[in-house]
Amino acid sequence: MSINFTTATIKDFENIPDNNMAQRAEIFYEYLDYVKSNGHMNYRLKNTSGTNAILNVNIANHNREFVSFVSSDYLGFTQHPKVKQAAIEGIEKYGTGTGATPLIGGYFDYHNALEKKISGFFKRTEDEAVVFTTGYTANSASLQCLMQKEDLAILDMAVHASVHEGCAFTNKKTFPHNNLESLEHILKVSENLYRTKLVIVDGVYSQDGDTSRINEIYDLVKKYNAFLMVDDVHGVGILGETGRGTLEQAGLLDKVDIITGTFSKTFGNLGGYVIADKKIAAFIRFHSRQQIFSATAPPSSAGIVKAIDLIDEEPIWREKLWDNINYFKKGLDDLGLDTGVTCSAIIPVKIGDPYVTGEAGKLLIQKGIYTNPILYPAVPRKDARIRMSVTARHEKEHLDKTLNAFDDINKKLHIAKK
């Protein structure tokens, strides 16, 4: 089987018939060389400075400064002095690691404090949180232990890959993004066929930056006696009157069955969490393989507690973020570019054609703008886009430089809406 590199995507190399793992890797390596030769390799670039609006990146052994839109550090807390100091104090008190899994000695008082802090942040005082080392495993590991062959997971097609992985051992049905008619049909036909029916949606979706139709979904879930899990990693700290995300905005903070999220975006660290009824939380602690067989979060996690506090203590960061979001989106819209239906800090410029999208990414790099072209399978084949994350650390000069770059690129590539 031969693969046409000019039209190929990464997914085409997952399984090449009649080629063993070394042969598949060799073909893929040739494809990477092809992508690099076209200047379309905006991935796995080597950063040499901390996450910020300006990022130092090493390209072809030369360090350059770029305006960065590749980080989900929405409020800039990775660089906040109070957050860094709390992380330093955690390391000074406990060292650099835990040396054990949560079950057999790797559970410390700072983990307990973090669990209480994050569940309290969501006003879930009767529930409990379970902390994981990444947001990805918070989804994948908890779902793998909760959902078995007798159960059914019902997923919005646009949910994160970690959710799909978490449902590998259970029955799974998907419905088109935010399509309530399809969701209700699945709930109706499966009403008496499975012992557990769990609907899983994102609060804010990672590629389009739009929100779930969460109120209507909640009503449907309860109508058909199912459970609801919401992953709101891109909504927390950004949406809601006090930054508690999509669920606060919808008035559902205390109503959904399971909340999951990450500490790697708004909270400026690493890790994930699951918040649920205390009995479900206990089940996860003793049945999740990641809780049993993988070392727990390091003492630098103490910085997360301070970051959670800062959501309330310093709302100025959320206000600055929204000033930037509104300014940047208006500028892109005024250029005639297609930003879709985003209502968050994730702003796509939809182009459609994968090759043209790669060219746009290359030209942005040349102009000192670091972004990520997003192609299939992350999005449909004809829905390629440049994806950008706006942060509170961006200044107007950074946004204006980027808008000017897009204006120039549009004149060359004609990427504006027809």
Side-chain angles (χ1 to χ4, degrees):
M1 174 184 177
S2 62
I3 295 177
N4 183 350
F5 286 178
T6 61
T7 59
T9 68
I10 289 178
K11 192 169 181 63
D12 294 313
F13 301 89
E14 285 182 355
N15 186 22
I16 306 173
D18 302 320
N19 287 265
N20 65 30
M21 65 179 185
Q23 292 167 330
R24 297 199 309 274
E26 182 177 357
I27 296 170
F28 181 65
Y29 200 79
E30 293 173 0
Y31 171 71
L32 288 181
D33 281 341
Y34 169 80
V35 174
K36 291 174 185 176
S37 70
N38 284 334
H40 290 184
M41 183 54 74
N42 290 41
Y43 313 103
R44 295 191 68 84
L45 302 182
K46 184 167 60 177
N47 305 328
T48 59
S49 64
T51 295
N52 218 320
I54 296 295
L55 190 63
N56 291 330
V57 183
N58 186 282
I59 298 178
N61 295 320
H62 293 286
N63 284 326
R64 290 179 54 196
E65 282 192 350
F66 290 84
V67 178
S68 171
F69 292 93
V70 298
S71 171
S72 296
D73 180 23
Y74 296 122
L75 300 180
F77 283 175
T78 65
Q79 305 304 317
H80 196 294
K82 293 179 181 178
V83 175
K84 292 197 287 186
Q85 184 58 38
I88 290 168
E89 290 174 0
I91 291 174
E92 288 178 339
K93 180 176 180 179
Y94 297 96
T96 59
T98 64
T101 73
L103 194 66
I104 60 168
Y107 185 71
F108 287 74
D109 54 355
Y110 67 85
H111 294 121
N112 181 261
L114 181 54
E115 289 172 345
K116 292 183 181 300
K117 177 66 71 171
I118 192 63
S119 59
F121 174 77
F122 286 106
K123 314 296 185 184
R124 308 278 289 215
T125 54
E126 298 299 317
D127 292 346
E128 293 184 359
V130 184
V131 172
F132 289 80
T133 50
T134 70
Y136 192 102
T137 51
N139 281 337
S140 62
S142 59
L143 285 168
Q144 284 178 16
C145 74
L146 290 174
M147 303 296 289
Q148 301 296 321
K149 62 182 180 180
E150 297 89 353
D151 306 315
L152 174 65
I154 306 172
L155 281 54
D156 186 299
M157 284 183 175
V159 294
H160 194 266
S162 58
V163 173
H164 287 278
E165 182 174 307
C167 298
F169 303 135
T170 191
N171 301 286
K172 182 177 77 172
K173 294 183 183 293
T174 60
F175 59 95
H177 178 47
N178 269 338
N179 187 314
L180 299 185
E181 292 76 17
S182 178
L183 171 59
E184 182 164 22
H185 174 74
I186 295 171
L187 286 166
K188 186 179 295 184
V189 300
S190 61
E191 191 166 11
N192 299 310
L193 300 179
Y194 303 92
R195 64 183 183 185
T196 300
K197 299 183 296 297
L198 175 64
V199 176
I200 308 170
V201 300
D202 288 356
V204 173
Y205 286 88
S206 63
Q207 298 306 328
D208 281 335
D210 63 330
T211 58
S212 170
R213 296 171 65 178
I214 191 65
N215 291 99
E216 297 160 283
I217 290 171
Y218 175 81
D219 290 342
L220 281 177
V221 166
K222 293 309 164 186
K223 176 180 177 181
Y224 291 96
N225 298 311
F227 296 91
L228 178 60
M229 170 175 156
V230 178
D231 175 1
D232 201 23
V233 298
H234 295 286
V236 173
I238 301 160
L239 300 178
E241 183 178 352
T242 64
R244 280 157 174 81
T246 310
L247 295 176
E248 181 183 38
Q249 186 171 270
L252 295 174
L253 268 180
D254 60 340
K255 292 181 171 59
V256 302
D257 300 289
I258 302 173
I259 299 174
T260 68
T262 185
F263 297 123
S264 66
K265 302 187 189 315
T266 292
F267 299 120
N269 205 292
L270 182 68
Y273 54 87
V274 176
I275 302 171
D277 173 88
K278 62 182 180 181
K279 295 175 183 177
I280 292 177
F283 187 89
I284 293 171
R285 290 191 184 105
F286 285 87
H287 289 84
S288 162
R289 293 190 176 192
Q290 204 269 354
Q291 291 285 311
I292 300 169
F293 298 112
S294 183
T296 194
S300 58
S301 300
I304 302 171
V305 173
K306 187 59 191 175
I308 296 172
D309 287 337
L310 287 173
I311 299 291
D312 291 327
E313 292 174 1
E314 299 183 4
I316 186 174
W317 299 110
R318 191 166 66 257
E319 295 165 7
K320 173 73 181 302
L321 172 62
W322 274 104
D323 284 344
N324 286 343
I325 292 170
N326 293 330
Y327 181 86
F328 191 52
K329 186 176 185 305
K330 182 180 185 301
L332 293 169
D333 291 341
D334 287 346
L335 291 174
L337 301 173
D338 184 1
T339 58
V341 292
T342 181
C343 52
S344 67
I346 298 167
I347 299 184
V349 171
K350 296 191 168 193
I351 297 173
D353 183 274
Y355 183 81
V356 176
T357 302
E359 285 291 289
K362 177 176 71 174
L363 292 173
L364 284 165
I365 285 287
Q366 291 175 358
K367 293 176 178 294
I369 312 297
Y370 186 10
T371 65
N372 289 139
I374 304 296
L375 313 173
Y376 180 82
V379 293
R381 291 184 185 274
K382 296 182 180 180
D383 199 20
R385 79 279 303 275
I386 300 292
R387 178 189 184 275
M388 294 171 286
S389 294
V390 180
T391 78
R393 296 286 177 176
H394 285 115
E395 301 295 342
K396 290 293 189 296
E397 63 188 84
H398 303 138
L399 304 178
D400 285 339
K401 178 178 180 178
T402 308
L403 292 171
N404 289 334
F406 270 108
D407 190 21
D408 290 343
I409 291 168
N410 182 44
K411 291 171 182 174
K412 293 179 180 178
L413 300 180
H414 309 291
I415 60 175
K417 294 178 286 187
K418 300 296 183 183

